[in-house]
Amino acid sequence: MAFDIRKIRADFPILSQEVNGKPLVYFDNAATTQKPLAVIDAEAGVYKTINSNIHRGVHHLSNVCTEAFEDARKKVAGFINADSSDEIIFTRGTTESVNLLSFSFGETFLKEGDEVILTEMEHHSNIVPWQLLAQRRGVAIKVVPVTDNGELDMQVFGELLNEKTRLVAVAHISNVMGTINPVEEIIALAHAADVPVMIDGAQAIHHLPVDVQKLNSDFYVFSGHKMYAPTGVGVLYGKRKWLEMMKPYQGGGEMIDKVSFSGTTFNDLPYKFEAGTPNYAGVIGLGAAIDYLQEQGLEEIWAYEHELFEYAKEKMQTVPGMRFVGQTANHTSVISFLLGHSHPFDVGTLLDKLGFALRTGHHCAQPLMDRFQISGTVRASFAFYNTKEEVDRLVEALLRVGSMLS
Amino acid sequence: MTIKEKQKEVIGEFAAFDDWMDKYSLLIELGNELDSFDEVHRQPQNLIEGCQSKVWLHAELNDGEIVFQGDSDAIIVKGIVALLLRVLSGHTPDEILESELFFIDEIGLKEHLSPTRSNGLVAMVKQIKAYALAFKAKMG
């Protein structure tokens, strides 16, 4: 235990409540993480003290608020080691980041007959925007299959890359299984074929230190709400050379240079992609979340979560009928499982009555469910505020639920 | 028994249990005991696909009363299906259309019939009423 878990739990007020008369055990962190007081206070603080529309006014509040907003952008840039904060585009979340990219990159660079490579383990939000693009522009989508143990079939990936490929968009970490994909290798292979790569970091950003320059990824997208920040904020990181060439996504205020009915010119990066008043309070909250994560230390968080994951894996394996879905050596703290022949909905419903928050269903990854020929799984996903005691309680609850449903 | 009386009977049975897990044990038991769904009716038009679980519903008009058959792939949902069928099956279209379902709320299973719980049950109740309307029209 690298850090004081009691102190950390005290930072998250939501954790100390009861659900259905039982102490809450929150194991749905891959869906969204809880927020520390530092983040809640930062966002509320905006409305209490500096609320004002940013980049607009000459007055004091507007200047302070703008400064806090841009300060958060610098924090994000530093957090992922972007070359410049101009490469950080704020969005509503990962989903909007992917939609922005598929639209702007697609409208700028793609034509009929071009190909985009995705994988079978993508979240729907990294599938459907590309399908919309495919319909719009006659682009073909190629899919890297997943092996039985839940890894990408890298041989097929190599074969799919060809002179028609224009972009590869792949999850850093599977939201269902927790598999860490070999993104360095994917990027190297793609770049060797002159193809840029987007990494969906929604499930990675709060678990692993991410260095976009070292990764050499062309685009990297993630959400605030999965990294202990407020909901409604996301990031699209893009290399300047791509972002500068790309057409804007949405039109409106802020993203323009000059507007007239004979023609409008667009603002510089990053504003070109940030039409309208952004969620500045959320962005400032995101900055506070980054401060908080850095205080705890990403390496320490990774070590703690990994220990908890290994412990949970070992203990959960002892439950009769336990079947893990997707077990690879390279893994984050996510366990997707099935309990005997029980339906995930039944397992999740009974666990809820015992105070556990777990996710059940297809996890917005129906192609992956089809791949494994299952309708869904139960997913336990851990964060650094979870404890071994909570895992023990889950195992106890699973034994009870298993015997009720068998 | 009227639909109202049947609902009161169900409420009485569930009132015996304070603990959630006991209520769910009973639901699981009811799900396991539900008459098996006639496989010839396991057709796409009888499938109500929720995000979390599936429900099958088939209806037939028999002497002016609607007889329902139902099923689900999740046993808890199946238990609730069993309760809904017990309450609503064997009644006339008018009785079903005029009925107000209060027992789900009363026995504390409201969450399963909330529109945000996509287990197929909300759509199933709508479908039951839709059948009643259709049969009523047919009967003139």
Side-chain angles (χ1 to χ4, degrees), chain B residues 25-79:
Chain B
S25 285
L26 178 57
L27 269 186
I28 292 166
E29 204 180 305
L30 293 170
N32 283 325
E33 286 168 359
L34 179 65
D35 290 340
S36 59
F37 191 77
D38 207 337
E39 287 307 314
V40 294
H41 300 313
R42 208 177 287 282
Q43 305 292 341
Q45 70 269 21
N46 289 333
L47 174 63
I48 299 162
E49 197 146 12
C51 186
Q52 293 272 350
S53 58
K54 295 172 182 168
V55 170
W56 283 269
L57 181 71
H58 172 74
E60 273 172 22
L61 194 65
N62 199 339
D63 271 346
E65 292 174 346
I66 308 177
V67 178
F68 291 101
Q69 275 188 40
D71 197 5
S72 174
D73 56 347
I75 194 68
I76 291 172
V77 176
K78 198 173 168 184

Side-chain angles (χ1 to χ4, degrees), chain A residues 166-205:
Chain A
R166 291 289 167 267
L167 186 79
V168 176
V170 56
H172 196 160
I173 292 173
S174 155
N175 72 306
V176 177
M177 305 176 292
T179 313
I180 305 175
N181 288 321
V183 286
E184 295 86 353
E185 192 187 341
I186 288 169
I187 291 167
L189 282 168
H191 284 178
D194 250 347
V195 174
V197 178
M198 183 211 89
I199 304 293
D200 172 357
Q203 295 294 337
I205 192 73

Side-chain angles (χ1 to χ4, degrees), chain B residues 5-25:
Chain B
E5 284 163 352
K6 285 185 186 170
Q7 293 193 76
K8 286 191 170 157
E9 190 183 71
V10 172
I11 291 165
E13 286 165 21
F14 273 83
F17 303 110
D18 293 333
D19 189 80
W20 275 114
M21 295 313 263
D22 294 332
K23 287 188 193 182
Y24 276 90
S25 285

Side-chain angles (χ1 to χ4, degrees), chain A residues 106-108 110-113 132-139 247:
Chain A
E107 293 302 308
T108 311
L110 298 196
K111 57 181 191 316
E112 194 168 341
L132 293 175
L133 168 69
Q135 285 166 12
R136 259 194 334 264
R137 299 190 78 86
V139 169
K247 290 179 184 168

Side-chain angles (χ1 to χ4, degrees), chain A residues 60-375:
Chain A
H60 172 76
L61 282 185
S62 178
N63 287 335
V64 177
C65 201
T66 302
E67 221 167 275
F69 178 79
E70 290 303 332
D71 196 40
R73 196 191 304 274
K74 286 181 199 133
K75 281 180 192 171
V76 174
F79 189 61
I80 61 171
N81 194 31
D83 183 45
S84 152
S85 58
D86 294 349
E87 296 173 323
I88 304 299
I89 314 292
F90 286 121
T91 63
R92 282 188 296 137
T94 304
T95 299
E96 192 179 51
S97 297
V98 179
N99 276 281
L100 190 166
L101 184 68
S102 65
F103 183 86
S104 294
F105 188 90
E107 293 302 308
T108 311
F109 298 112
L110 298 196
K111 57 181 191 316
E112 194 168 341
D114 287 345
E115 295 177 1
V116 171
I117 297 180
L118 309 177
T119 87
E120 211 171 15
M121 68 166 81
E122 298 310 309
H123 188 283
H124 294 165
S125 62
N126 193 29
I127 297 175
V128 184
W130 303 108
Q131 288 176 325
L132 293 175
L133 168 69
Q135 285 166 12
R136 259 194 334 264
R137 299 190 78 86
V139 169
I141 291 171
K142 301 290 167 182
V143 183
V144 183
V146 169
T147 63
D148 287 341
N149 65 349
E151 288 172 314
L152 291 178
D153 190 329
M154 289 301 286
Q155 198 190 325
V156 177
F157 173 65
E159 290 161 13
L160 286 177
L161 268 176
N162 66 47
E163 69 285 351
K164 286 186 268 177
T165 313
R166 291 289 167 267
L167 186 79
V168 176
V170 56
H172 196 160
I173 292 173
S174 155
N175 72 306
V176 177
M177 305 176 292
T179 313
I180 305 175
N181 288 321
V183 286
E184 295 86 353
E185 192 187 341
I186 288 169
I187 291 167
L189 282 168
H191 284 178
D194 250 347
V195 174
V197 178
M198 183 211 89
I199 304 293
D200 172 357
Q203 295 294 337
I205 192 73
H206 55 304
H207 287 304
L208 306 172
V210 170
D211 181 331
V212 289
Q213 292 192 76
K214 206 167 130 209
L215 264 181
N216 202 13
S217 95
D218 302 274
F219 302 98
Y220 197 95
V221 298
F222 55 94
S223 295
H225 75 94
K226 288 194 207 293
M227 56 183 294
Y228 312 97
T231 185
V233 174
V235 171
L236 164 66
Y237 157 81
K239 281 184 183 167
R240 182 189 290 275
K241 64 167 180 178
W242 293 114
L243 294 178
E244 276 182 346
M245 285 188 278
M246 277 159 53
K247 290 179 184 168
Y249 177 44
Q250 295 177 326
E254 187 72 44
M255 54 81 71
I256 46 86
D257 172 32
K258 260 193 168 135
V259 175
S260 81
F261 286 105
S262 58
T264 290
T265 51
F266 303 119
N267 203 339
D268 295 331
L269 291 177
Y271 311 111
K272 180 172 103 178
F273 293 105
E274 293 180 355
T277 298
N279 179 3
Y280 49 86
V283 165
I284 292 165
L286 173 60
I290 287 173
D291 289 342
Y292 184 82
L293 282 171
Q294 284 175 332
E295 266 167 45
Q296 312 310 322
L298 261 280
E299 301 284 350
E300 283 77 9
I301 288 172
W302 168 253
Y304 179 85
E305 288 179 345
H306 204 71
E307 190 184 327
L308 192 63
F309 166 70
E310 289 295 339
Y311 180 80
K313 213 165 66 169
E314 192 191 316
K315 292 281 170 176
M316 286 168 70
Q317 250 157 9
T318 63
V319 177
M322 178 58 64
R323 179 155 68 94
F324 294 151
V325 177
Q327 277 308 305
T328 50
N330 225 353
H331 221 87
T332 47
S333 51
V334 172
I335 297 179
S336 238
F337 65 92
L338 291 165
L339 195 57
H341 295 291
S342 303
H343 196 289
F345 177 85
D346 294 324
V347 177
T349 300
L350 294 177
L351 286 176
D352 169 55
K353 294 300 166 205
L354 294 170
F356 294 87
L358 279 81
R359 184 73 175 268
T360 65
H362 54 59
H363 314 290
C364 298
Q366 281 173 335
L368 187 67
M369 298 296 115
D370 293 343
R371 158 68 183 83
F372 286 112
Q373 295 183 318
I374 52 180
S375 65

